Amino acid sequence: MNEPIPRWDLSNIYAGVDDPQLALDLSILKDETIALTHFFENDLLPIEKTQVAPEVLTKYLGHLVDLTNTIYTRSGTIGSYLYGLTSTDSFDKAAEQLQSQFQIGMLPLRNVNVRIAAWLGKIADQLPAALAIPGTAHEHAFILLEEAKQSQFLMSEPEEELANELSLSGGSAWGDLQGTLTSQKQVEFEIDGKTETLPLPALINLRSHPSAEVRERAYTLEQATFEDMKEALAACLNGVKGEVNTLDRKRGREDSLHSSLDKARIDRQTLDAMIAAIQDSLPMFRSYFQAKAKLLGFEKLPWWSLFAPVGSVEKTYTFEEAKEIVLSNFARFSPELSDFAHHAFENRWIDALQRPGKRGGAYCMGIEAVKESRIMSNFDGSFDQVMTLAHELGHAFHNYCAFQAEKTPLQTDTPMTLAETASIMCETIVFNALLEQIDDPKAEQAILETSISSDAQTIVDIYSRFLFEREVFDRRKKATLSADEISEIMLQAQRDSYGDGIDPEVMNKFAWTWKPHYYSTGLSFYNYPYAFGNLFAKGLYAIYKEKGAAFVEDYKALLASTGEASAADLAARFGIDIRSKDFWAASLAQIAPQIERYKQL
């Protein structure tokens, strides 16, 4: 890579942790929370005990919505800024301390939100008439009704307040520890005769290195590194899952999946239909793994070659080349999408440089106050990382559509399932555009490899992670799990999903250690939403191929409204029935020709 890999610019949000504007916003946020609490106690609570005219309730609800949106704009901006600092530099103690202070300062807001949700549940019979009247409340009817519905799964007010306060020393603290341990760990690794000190995410990224010898050594070192870290990380996982299990039970949830499904705004019928279609597709993916093993000269595919490049393996992309691939192929779908991505590149919205103290993986966050996004990735020049840029820019475009439509924070509270749709749609756009342009078999093979490998991750590997997390939750109800037991659960989940597609003696028992999604009390089962997003995006892409440019405006409208309806209702706009196994099977069937072509090459 010939040019510097970029780091993002956050200066138009705040100049630093000592920015007087940041201190002022924190103070204003405190005052706004007090004002919201006073409004709730003095104006809203009395309505709980008396019937009021719908017009009166509409007025109160509108004011509640306005106050909440103002607070969420400020708190979301502060929270995103601080997370942007700490996730890219865990050595920044000033940012870490301010983030901790911010989280503690948010407790009063979290507590009054619980009280408001409970209040909405108690006046649920009055809501339909009030929300039918045009105005602010009517425009936020979906989220208000959703809050009222979910209020049945709240503990008593004192218990919820205690849970909020204890979470900072419990589940949130365990998640922070996992992030610190994995982001600050560095290892010595030799490449091309030169020993380098690599942050752990950079070591993990070597799974896609062209050299089999490098991949195997990196895998061996990764396993040894996590062997040394496993007890601390097991404690983190036990802490998080134990807290979630306890609160789910106290809140009357059916099981560990119940809350996740509600947050995803899908029902069990939808999840069951998708999982059944995925299970039926596993032999197809296993045939791909077997074909890849033969291509690489193995009898069975070892885990350390699961992400090995094939085809034009010598190609390493500069960041500028990655940028051009994304922009040119986005333009084939929509000039607006390409122009938006160009703006993101030019205005330093992307932090792609790998470095010590930076967390692994990638994410995108919207910054409400400035109507922008920021993207974190770990760019290493691989084609996989080129696709990661396309993926995260999809998230940013999703935010852009909401900002353009002037949606409020409450209206953009998007479920995990639909949050992955735009990102995977952008991957699909780039993959398919590249495949149409390629006439060199080796290059075609490389593109197909990346496409199928990505699908295999969001289908096969995600299925294994779903099985893993479900089993961990079930066993955690009975006892604390040892690191070795957690690893065995992971291995069994991989056996059940990958089957005879990979070498049973060379799998990844430590795949649970570095994925941050496992370590969040608020993101349980953040695995199947990736499969949902992948397959839903494929269904949308098929519609795009039929309608062409006319599809784009409908697609943008969908992205702008993902926080205002259930997944089933939004899908129905395009004639999609997500409760039908047939829809998911049809999306999976789109992958079959690619696998067959891959085998031919």
Side-chain angles (χ1 to χ4, degrees):
M1 289 174 282
N2 299 322
E3 82 295 327
I5 298 173
R7 297 175 66 162
W8 58 24
D9 179 13
L10 304 177
S11 62
N12 69 323
I13 307 168
Y14 296 109
V17 293
D18 55 353
D19 187 341
Q21 185 61 51
L22 177 54
L24 178 61
D25 281 349
L26 286 166
S27 177
I28 294 173
L29 179 60
K30 181 178 179 180
D31 292 340
E32 289 172 337
T33 302
I34 292 172
L36 176 62
T37 303
H38 286 169
F39 172 67
F40 171 72
E41 293 176 343
N42 298 327
D43 296 281
L44 299 186
L45 266 183
I47 298 175
E48 182 183 317
K49 301 175 182 178
T50 181
Q51 193 86 14
V52 298
E55 312 84 61
V56 175
L57 181 55
T58 297
K59 178 181 176 182
Y60 281 127
L61 290 172
H63 188 54
L64 170 64
V65 166
D66 288 339
L67 284 175
T68 303
N69 278 323
T70 298
I71 289 173
Y72 280 7
T73 295
R74 198 177 311 278
S75 63
T77 299
I78 295 170
S80 294
Y81 176 75
L82 293 176
Y83 185 70
L85 295 180
T86 59
S87 63
T88 55
D89 184 5
S90 62
F91 297 107
D92 187 342
K93 298 306 176 186
E96 187 178 272
Q97 183 178 35
L98 188 57
Q99 184 178 48
S100 176
Q101 293 171 358
F102 170 70
Q103 290 170 343
I104 293 172
M106 288 292 288
L107 282 175
L109 178 59
R110 292 173 63 185
N111 289 338
V112 73
N113 281 341
V114 169
R115 299 175 70 190
I116 291 170
W119 172 78
L120 286 168
K122 291 173 183 176
I123 65 159
D125 61 329
Q126 299 184 53
L127 290 177
L131 296 176
I133 300 172
T136 300
H138 173 73
E139 293 166 358
H140 293 77
F142 175 79
I143 192 65
L144 291 170
L145 291 170
E146 188 73 9
E147 284 291 300
K149 178 182 176 182
Q150 291 301 314
S151 69
Q152 66 182 301
F153 302 112
L154 290 174
M155 301 180 289
S156 68
E157 188 176 303
E159 287 175 316
E160 287 290 350
E161 290 185 359
L162 179 62
N164 283 338
E165 189 165 347
L166 287 176
S167 69
L168 299 182
S169 303
S172 294
W174 287 118
D176 289 343
L177 177 59
Q178 184 269 345
T180 298
L181 290 172
T182 54
S183 67
Q184 294 189 0
K185 182 66 176 178
Q186 299 182 64
V187 295
E188 299 293 317
F189 191 80
E190 184 268 320
I191 303 181
D192 298 329
K194 180 182 178 182
T195 299
E196 300 181 28
T197 301
L198 299 178
L200 196 52
L203 177 71
I204 293 171
N205 276 350
L206 289 175
R207 64 188 183 178
S208 58
H209 195 278
S211 167
E213 185 267 341
V214 169
R215 294 195 304 271
E216 184 174 15
R217 282 195 297 109
Y219 165 84
T220 302
L221 180 56
E222 178 189 331
Q223 296 294 297
T225 301
F226 282 123
E227 183 69 36
D228 291 339
M229 301 172 67
K230 68 180 183 182
E231 298 300 339
L233 294 171
C236 294
L237 191 65
N238 274 290
V240 170
K241 299 312 184 192
E243 178 178 313
V244 173
N245 270 340
T246 298
L247 292 177
D248 279 347
R249 185 180 70 252
K250 293 287 288 183
R251 288 171 175 151
R253 293 289 184 179
E254 296 174 24
D255 54 23
S256 57
L257 262 173
H258 188 181
S259 177
S260 170
L261 290 169
D262 282 356
K263 287 180 180 178
R265 295 186 191 146
I266 65 172
D267 52 27
R268 290 180 189 266
Q269 183 181 351
T270 298
L271 179 63
D272 290 345
M274 184 180 74
I275 292 296
I278 286 173
Q279 290 169 334
D280 289 348
S281 75
L282 293 178
M284 173 182 72
F285 284 103
R286 290 168 183 171
S287 71
Y288 150 69
F289 294 129
Q290 292 163 355
K292 183 169 183 176
K294 291 181 180 178
L295 188 64
L296 296 174
F298 300 110
E299 185 176 339
K300 289 187 176 294
L301 190 65
W303 189 275
W304 50 265
S305 280
L306 197 60
F307 305 98
V310 299
S312 301
V313 297
E314 74 282 353
K315 177 64 176 174
T316 299
Y317 297 86
T318 66
F319 193 82
E320 191 63 29
E321 288 172 331
K323 171 184 170 182
E324 178 55 32
I325 288 172
V326 169
L327 293 180
S328 61
N329 290 296
F330 275 8
R332 291 163 63 91
F333 174 79
S334 162
E336 185 178 9
L337 174 60
S338 183
D339 289 345
F340 164 78
H342 182 267
H343 182 81
F345 281 113
E346 292 303 304
N347 288 273
R348 295 178 58 198
W349 288 10
I350 301 170
D351 191 302
L353 180 67
Q354 297 184 100
R355 56 190 184 275
K358 184 176 180 179
R359 290 196 178 197
Y363 68 78
C364 173
M365 59 183 182
I367 314 294
E368 180 70 30
V370 293
K371 307 298 183 187
E372 297 178 353
S373 295
R374 291 296 185 274
I375 289 167
M376 190 277 275
S377 67
N378 283 273
F379 188 79
D380 63 358
S382 67
F383 188 68
D384 181 63
Q385 284 296 310
V386 177
M387 289 299 101
T388 295
L389 285 175
H391 180 102
E392 299 304 334
L393 283 164
H395 284 304
F397 186 70
H398 193 163
N399 295 335
Y400 162 82
C401 289
F403 291 148
Q404 290 291 103
E406 299 184 345
K407 300 294 184 179
T408 67
L410 284 174
Q411 291 171 326
T412 55
D413 182 21
T414 296
M416 294 181 288
T417 39
L418 296 171
E420 291 305 322
T421 299
S423 55
I424 296 175
M425 183 71 160
C426 279
E427 283 190 56
T428 304
I429 289 167
V430 173
F431 279 133
N432 287 316
L434 286 173
L435 283 174
E436 291 174 4
Q437 301 167 48
I438 293 297
D439 54 12
D440 173 29
K442 283 293 185 181
E444 181 185 3
Q445 190 177 50
I447 300 298
L448 282 171
E449 164 60 32
T450 304
S451 177
I452 299 168
S453 177
S454 176
D455 285 332
Q457 279 295 289
T458 54
I459 305 300
V460 183
D461 197 63
I462 285 299
Y463 179 58
S464 76
R465 292 179 181 279
F466 171 75
L467 296 177
F468 165 79
E469 192 160 5
R470 188 174 62 183
E471 184 69 13
V472 167
F473 268 123
D474 288 346
R475 293 201 202 182
R476 184 63 184 86
K477 292 176 183 177
K478 303 168 187 174
T480 299
L481 307 181
S482 69
D484 289 341
E485 185 177 2
I486 296 170
S487 292
E488 180 51 41
I489 295 171
M490 178 57 79
L491 286 174
Q492 187 56 51
Q494 289 171 356
R495 294 183 193 108
D496 291 341
S497 53
Y498 287 90
D500 59 2
I502 61 173
D503 187 340
E505 301 301 320
V506 191
M507 295 192 291
N508 189 0
K509 66 180 181 179
F510 289 128
W512 57 273
T513 53
W514 63 278
K515 277 286 186 182
H517 298 155
Y518 293 133
Y519 298 87
S520 170
T521 56
L523 291 177
S524 298
F525 289 99
Y526 203 163
N527 35 61
Y528 69 78
Y530 281 98
F532 186 107
N534 184 341
L535 299 177
F536 186 56
K538 287 187 185 324
L540 290 176
Y541 189 81
I543 296 172
Y544 159 66
K545 295 299 287 185
E546 293 177 9
K547 293 187 174 181
F551 168 84
V552 176
E553 288 304 313
D554 290 339
Y555 174 64
K556 286 171 55 185
L558 170 73
L559 296 182
S561 57
T562 50
E564 299 178 278
S566 70
D569 288 345
L570 289 169
R573 294 184 184 181
F574 294 88
I576 294 172
D577 179 7
I578 61 173
R579 296 187 178 95
S580 168
K581 179 182 172 182
D582 291 343
F583 165 71
W584 304 108
S587 289
L588 284 159
Q590 295 181 40
I591 305 169
Q594 291 188 2
I595 292 179
E596 289 306 310
R597 176 61 177 163
Y598 179 87
K599 292 178 183 178
Q600 293 172 8
L601 291 170

